[in-house]
Amino acid sequence: LAELLLRAGALAERTLGELASALGVLLPDDPRRGKGIPGQLIERALGAAAGGAPVPDFEALGVELKTVPTDENGRPRESTFVCSIAALEIQHEEWESSRVRKKLRHVLWVPISAEPAELAARRIGVPRLWRPCPDDEAVLRADWEELAGLCGAGAIDEISGTRGRFLQVRPKAADSRARTFAQGPDDTTISALPRGFYLRACFTARILKGES
Amino acid sequence: LAELLLRAGALAERTLGELASALGVLLPDDPRRGKGIPGQLIERALGAAAGGAPVPDFEALGVELKTVPTDENGRPRESTFVCSIAALEIQHEEWESSRVRKKLRHVLWVPISAEPAELAARRIGVPRLWRPCPDDEAVLRADWEELAGLCGAGAIDEISGTRGRFLQVRPKAADSRARTFAQGPDDTTISALPRGFYLRACFTARILKGES
DNA sequence: ACGGATCCATACCTGGATCCTG
DNA sequence: CAGGATCCAGGTATGGATCCGT
């Protein structure tokens, strides 16, 4: 853990362009074409496990890595994706064993300034290792239980991004025509837009400021 | 059904090259690079539903399409792939509702001479619409129950291609390093090579000769 | 001769997220 | 300004099968 923090701290003040050339990665000119690049560069720089596996980024430590784009004042510009929703299985899940809780038990946050827009010039900030305090976990749990409850009750299409105080449900798909199978009313199955859990920017702002 | 047979019959004696140019498809020179091309050309020529969906090729008719490569005497040169094995779910399946049985309930067989090797010169043969007779279905069922039973009991890695009289289990993967999750002994989960069900050539030979 | 190994394409899913318009 | 829409990569699954070494 100490080593992870050291290595992450050593990235602060460097630009993504420096990181990319050190790793031999070519950056796209248009940032819209590389939405996931910052996160993947930091993963590689810190030796995180590569995608796919259902394990934390730093498995031995149980630590998840999240990069977050900030404005010039260090405030998050965006919400943070947590995980996708398995819309047929969530009705059988409980908060204690949920994917959201697992992802958020221990997180290394790495802020990255989104000014300027050009990927190569964006500058990495000071990382912060975080665990939710009991009060925050209580809110996350309440949000999760409300949202997961709606999904499990066949009301996934009734959920809008306005629900939830820290945690929200929003689309997570290639486009709005994408479809997955979801729980419908009364044990039926419906076709629905794939969705995921996200942390609101107001919550991650508190984390980055050290108020959580 | 009559129309399907008419259209399939109209393909007999034509070459894959003729079909490909009629459909605007470019054939690879090396047949090893186009193992699935003959089947896909026939699918398109007959207006079968394209891949992906868990439905028969001709859904309204409940008919599955299978092409089979033959030697100069019309004997199958290869076994015929039926379907992949969902190695974690097969323990809950029964023959009556199995994917193998669904696929084989009603099949339009289209033989295609594999001489010469060059794809464009291969000639389509006379199609045959087939349903398994009760005796054959009894053998298929016995084979399936033996093989599926082994999978469900966590012995998928014990199955070799020698088991089964008409139906066998063989690898179905990009290569031998591919892995999927499978049922292990005593409710454990193991990592195993993906496998599929295949019909032996001795069985499809009888079908093509009209002896089944 | 045939059992194990392999080839191609498409779709879906997850994980990395940010874009953008009303 | 934030909820809905979207972008990319990589892995897995399935469906179309045939290749090839022992």
Side-chain angles (χ1 to χ4, degrees):
Chain A
L1 201 54
E3 185 185 339
L4 176 59
L5 267 174
L6 262 179
R7 292 168 65 178
L11 296 177
E13 298 307 314
R14 315 198 61 149
T15 65
L16 293 184
E18 290 165 14
L19 211 50
S21 52
L23 294 170
V25 170
L26 205 55
L27 296 177
D29 286 336
D30 185 349
R32 290 176 299 183
R33 301 283 168 191
K35 296 183 182 180
I37 302 268
Q40 287 155 6
L41 287 176
I42 305 289
E43 277 183 344
R44 292 185 51 178
L46 296 179
V55 297
D57 292 314
F58 301 100
E59 189 175 3
L61 303 174
V63 169
E64 186 71 21
L65 174 68
K66 286 291 173 197
T67 60
V68 56
T70 64
D71 64 18
E72 58 274 11
N73 302 316
R75 277 209 108 251
R77 290 168 64 112
E78 297 289 349
S79 57
T80 299
F81 172 67
V82 180
C83 62
S84 57
I85 297 182
L88 281 177
E89 295 151 30
I90 196 165
Q91 62 177 324
H92 304 300
E93 282 181 38
E94 309 254 324
W95 167 252
E96 311 298 342
S97 54
S98 68
R99 291 163 67 192
V100 170
R101 180 163 183 253
K102 285 199 188 84
K103 288 270 187 186
L104 297 182
R105 283 195 57 177
H106 208 172
V107 179
L108 178 66
W109 294 94
V110 179
I112 301 181
S113 169
E115 317 280 353
E118 192 199 347
L119 281 180
R122 296 188 185 183
R123 203 166 289 277
I124 301 167
V126 177
R128 173 159 156 70
L129 198 55
W130 168 86
R131 284 175 185 280
C133 65
D135 284 355
D136 286 346
E137 177 158 345
V139 175
L140 291 169
R141 174 185 192 138
D143 285 345
W144 185 90
E145 286 177 345
E146 174 192 355
L147 296 164
L150 286 166
C151 290
I156 193 170
D157 284 333
E158 316 302 319
I159 303 178
S160 89
T162 57
R163 284 183 184 269
R165 193 165 139 212
F166 293 169
L167 197 63
Q168 64 178 171
V169 165
R170 297 221 312 282
K172 175 67 168 148
D175 60 54
S176 59
R177 278 112 49 199
R179 283 293 176 273
T180 193
F181 288 109
Q183 186 62 43
D186 303 324
D187 282 315
T188 59
T189 287
I190 60 177
S191 169
L193 183 60
R195 289 170 170 86
F197 287 108
Y198 295 77
L199 294 178
R200 292 184 183 278
C202 60
F203 181 56
T204 51
R206 288 181 33 208
I207 295 174
L208 295 185
K209 282 196 278 186
E211 295 173 1
S212 166
Chain B
L1 201 54
E3 186 185 339
L4 175 59
L5 267 173
L6 262 179
R7 293 168 65 178
L11 297 177
E13 298 306 313
R14 315 198 62 149
T15 65
L16 293 184
E18 290 165 14
L19 210 51
S21 52
L23 295 171
V25 170
L26 205 55
L27 296 177
D29 286 335
D30 185 348
R32 289 176 299 183
R33 300 283 167 191
K35 296 184 181 181
I37 301 269
Q40 287 154 5
L41 287 175
I42 305 290
E43 276 183 346
R44 293 185 49 177
L46 296 179
V55 297
D57 293 312
F58 301 100
E59 188 175 4
L61 303 173
V63 169
E64 185 70 22
L65 174 67
K66 286 290 172 197
T67 60
V68 57
T70 64
D71 64 18
E72 59 275 10
N73 302 316
R75 277 208 107 251
R77 289 168 64 113
E78 297 289 350
S79 56
T80 300
F81 172 68
V82 180
C83 62
S84 57
I85 297 182
L88 281 178
E89 294 152 29
I90 195 166
Q91 62 177 324
H92 305 299
E93 283 182 37
E94 309 253 324
W95 166 252
E96 310 298 341
S97 54
S98 69
R99 291 162 67 191
V100 169
R101 181 163 182 251
K102 285 199 189 81
K103 288 271 187 186
L104 297 182
R105 283 195 57 178
H106 208 172
V107 179
L108 178 66
W109 294 94
V110 179
I112 301 180
S113 170
E115 316 279 355
E118 194 199 345
L119 281 180
R122 296 188 185 183
R123 203 165 288 278
I124 301 166
V126 177
R128 174 159 155 68
L129 198 55
W130 169 86
R131 284 175 185 278
C133 65
D135 285 355
D136 286 346
E137 177 158 346
V139 175
L140 290 169
R141 174 186 193 139
D143 286 344
W144 185 90
E145 288 177 343
E146 175 192 355
L147 296 164
L150 286 166
C151 290
I156 193 171
D157 284 333
E158 316 302 318
I159 303 178
S160 88
T162 56
R163 282 183 187 270
R165 193 165 139 211
F166 292 169
L167 197 63
Q168 64 179 172
V169 166
R170 298 221 311 283
K172 175 67 169 151
D175 59 54
S176 58
R177 277 112 50 199
R179 283 292 176 272
T180 193
F181 288 109
Q183 185 62 42
D186 303 324
D187 281 314
T188 60
T189 287
I190 61 177
S191 169
L193 183 61
R195 287 170 171 87
F197 286 109
Y198 295 77
L199 294 178
R200 293 185 182 278
C202 61
F203 181 57
T204 51
R206 288 181 32 208
I207 295 173
L208 295 185
K209 281 195 279 185
E211 296 172 1
S212 165

